[in-house]
Amino acid sequence: MAPAAAATEVEVDAWAARDTSGHLSPFTFSRRATGPGDVKFKILFCGVCHSDLHQIHNDWGNSTYPMVPGHEMVGEVTEVGSEVKAFKVGEIVGVGCLVNSCQTCDPCTQHLEQYCGKKVWTYNDKDYDGTITQGGYSTIMVCRQEFVLKMPTNLPLDAAAPLLCAGITVYSPMKHFQMDVAGKHFGVVGLGGLGHMAVKFGKAFGMTVTVFSTSPSKEKEARELLGADRFIASKDPEQMKAAAGSIDYIIDTVSAAHPLDLYLSTLKLDGKLVMVGIPEKPLSIHAFSLTSARRYVGGSGIGGIKETQEMLDFCGEHNITCLIEKIPISYVNTAMERLGKSDVKYRFVIDIANSLKSED
């Protein structure tokens, strides 16, 4: 009997950035063959995250080119490895920001893979086999089963894709810092991709939600579109003064320099402010803003795989999705320009299946 043919790599169509100009254009590369513990799926949709914009321009100084961005991908399973029991062909799955970790360190054993010192990001990172990871602006994904997620079957897949980053980035700190208590007053700073998800989770947890924004024009959408209970124009001194000491918790989603003391003043005794936005420059805090009411400032990254699945299940139960603008891959460079101007409500999602060729 002739020996079985070795599994071969799969050719993938994608769009990639080649340099710091960030311009994306058609690109072809190979993903590994499906291993015993791998899940292979055809990508249907992929969200466009603000971090994609930073990465393609090397804003954080660690970009490797050519780079295929995208870490909010949803698709249909086409093949599973011999050791995979939890997933089957035809199932709808997702992959978020992580594709690997050591699985043995303290964070990993606590289901906090996002804090593993050897974690592997979904793109622009080096995997354990030495290959550079490439993301979801592509037709096919192959991923370790431990980092694949089951998508809720009742949610539209395009609007569910950004939950894999925008959703979990606010859900994780809200759960960890007990910012999910019904009847409490919850503040959201910034009304973008992350902020609008924080509002939705806050309402689902039964809290009274206040949106802080530097743009008074966003009041109507905050109240009528997202159901926020209160809107405060943070550049209005009178409105901010009236809000002093009225908020239990704040999620701060802003990625630009801004005055934290202004928002800390609105917290009650033992109030908490948690940063999920990442400004490029350091932020300052006056110690009195903390000591005067025993307030806390913290930070949070994304969630681990177990918590991300919990979040997805919660969204399925409460019919929570992102508000999106669906685009073809050919529009992605324009989308990046608009994203840089905050001209999107509230997440671009690429219709991969209908705008990128796939041979699989």
Side-chain angles (χ1 to χ4, degrees):
M1 180 182 294
T8 57
E9 294 182 336
V10 58
E11 187 174 272
V12 179
D13 292 306
W15 277 47
R18 271 50 172 221
D19 52 44
T20 58
S21 71
H23 182 78
L24 294 149
S25 59
F27 176 66
T28 301
F29 69 101
S30 295
R31 294 204 189 273
R32 68 175 182 269
T34 307
D38 286 335
V39 175
K40 176 183 176 184
F41 62 92
K42 173 184 177 182
I43 299 173
L44 302 176
F45 300 101
C46 186
V48 178
C49 179
H50 205 281
S51 61
D52 297 346
L53 182 62
H54 286 298
Q55 291 278 30
I56 62 176
H57 288 293
N58 196 29
D59 290 341
W60 296 333
N62 66 343
S63 297
T64 299
Y65 302 98
M67 179 198 302
V68 178
H71 56 209
E72 299 175 343
M73 65 190 88
V74 174
E76 181 180 351
V77 176
T78 58
E79 186 179 14
V80 297
S82 59
E83 298 174 2
V84 175
K85 306 302 180 185
F87 301 95
K88 59 182 183 294
V89 172
E91 193 168 10
I92 301 299
V93 298
V95 167
C97 302
L98 298 172
V99 293
N100 219 337
S101 72
C102 77
Q103 300 286 288
T104 59
C105 68
D106 286 345
C108 282
T109 57
Q110 297 177 64
H111 305 290
L112 298 171
E113 300 91 347
Q114 72 272 33
Y115 300 120
C116 171
K118 297 180 180 179
K119 63 182 172 292
V120 179
W121 298 114
T122 299
Y123 71 90
N124 193 43
D125 205 355
K126 183 178 288 188
D127 209 342
Y128 285 34
D129 62 2
T131 59
I132 301 300
T133 58
Q134 303 288 10
Y137 296 12
S138 59
T139 52
I140 296 166
M141 184 63 181
V142 179
C143 185
R144 281 183 58 173
Q145 61 178 325
E146 295 89 346
F147 293 84
V148 179
L149 296 142
K150 292 180 180 289
M151 299 301 297
T153 57
N154 63 308
L155 299 181
L157 298 182
D158 50 1
L163 295 174
L164 296 162
C165 177
I168 189 58
T169 297
V170 294
Y171 181 91
S172 182
M174 290 177 74
K175 296 294 288 187
H176 177 74
F177 291 101
Q178 295 85 50
M179 302 165 73
D180 61 350
V181 181
K184 292 291 187 177
H185 289 254
F186 176 60
V188 179
V189 180
L191 195 60
L194 298 180
H196 93 286
M197 290 308 306
V199 173
K200 288 194 170 195
F201 284 132
K203 294 301 295 181
F205 289 137
M207 295 189 286
T208 299
V209 178
T210 296
V211 170
F212 295 91
S213 177
T214 58
S215 303
S217 61
K218 290 189 175 182
E219 180 170 6
K220 183 176 181 180
E221 63 195 63
R223 291 182 180 275
E224 297 180 9
L225 193 61
L226 299 171
D229 300 283
R230 185 167 63 156
F231 180 91
I232 295 176
S234 53
K235 288 185 177 181
D236 185 325
E238 292 303 314
Q239 289 190 41
M240 291 300 292
K241 183 179 179 180
S246 66
I247 306 291
D248 293 293
Y249 328 115
I250 290 176
I251 283 282
D252 188 333
T253 71
V254 176
S255 292
H258 58 290
L260 289 186
D261 292 313
L262 187 67
Y263 300 104
L264 287 169
S265 70
T266 70
L267 288 175
K268 298 179 181 179
L269 175 67
D270 291 328
K272 304 171 187 175
L273 183 150
V274 178
M275 299 288 302
V276 294
I278 307 177
E280 294 180 14
K281 297 181 179 180
L283 302 177
S284 63
I285 301 175
H286 195 292
F288 187 74
S289 295
L290 304 177
T291 60
S292 61
R294 204 164 59 186
R295 299 177 177 120
Y296 301 82
V297 174
S300 179
I302 56 171
I305 302 304
K306 181 179 180 181
E307 188 174 49
T308 303
Q309 188 64 64
E310 174 191 308
M311 179 272 305
L312 289 171
D313 295 342
F314 180 87
C315 289
E317 292 169 10
H318 294 269
N319 198 32
I320 295 173
T321 56
C322 295
L323 296 175
I324 67 165
E325 181 176 336
K326 187 161 60 176
I327 62 170
I329 190 68
S330 59
Y331 188 78
V332 71
N333 288 304
T334 301
M336 289 295 185
E337 292 176 7
R338 289 179 53 193
L339 184 59
K341 300 174 183 176
S342 299
D343 179 23
V344 57
K345 291 187 177 60
Y346 289 94
R347 207 69 154 185
F348 288 114
V349 173
I350 305 170
D351 185 351
I352 297 291
N354 289 312
S355 62
L356 244 182
K357 180 186 66 174
S358 175
E359 300 298 336
D360 189 62

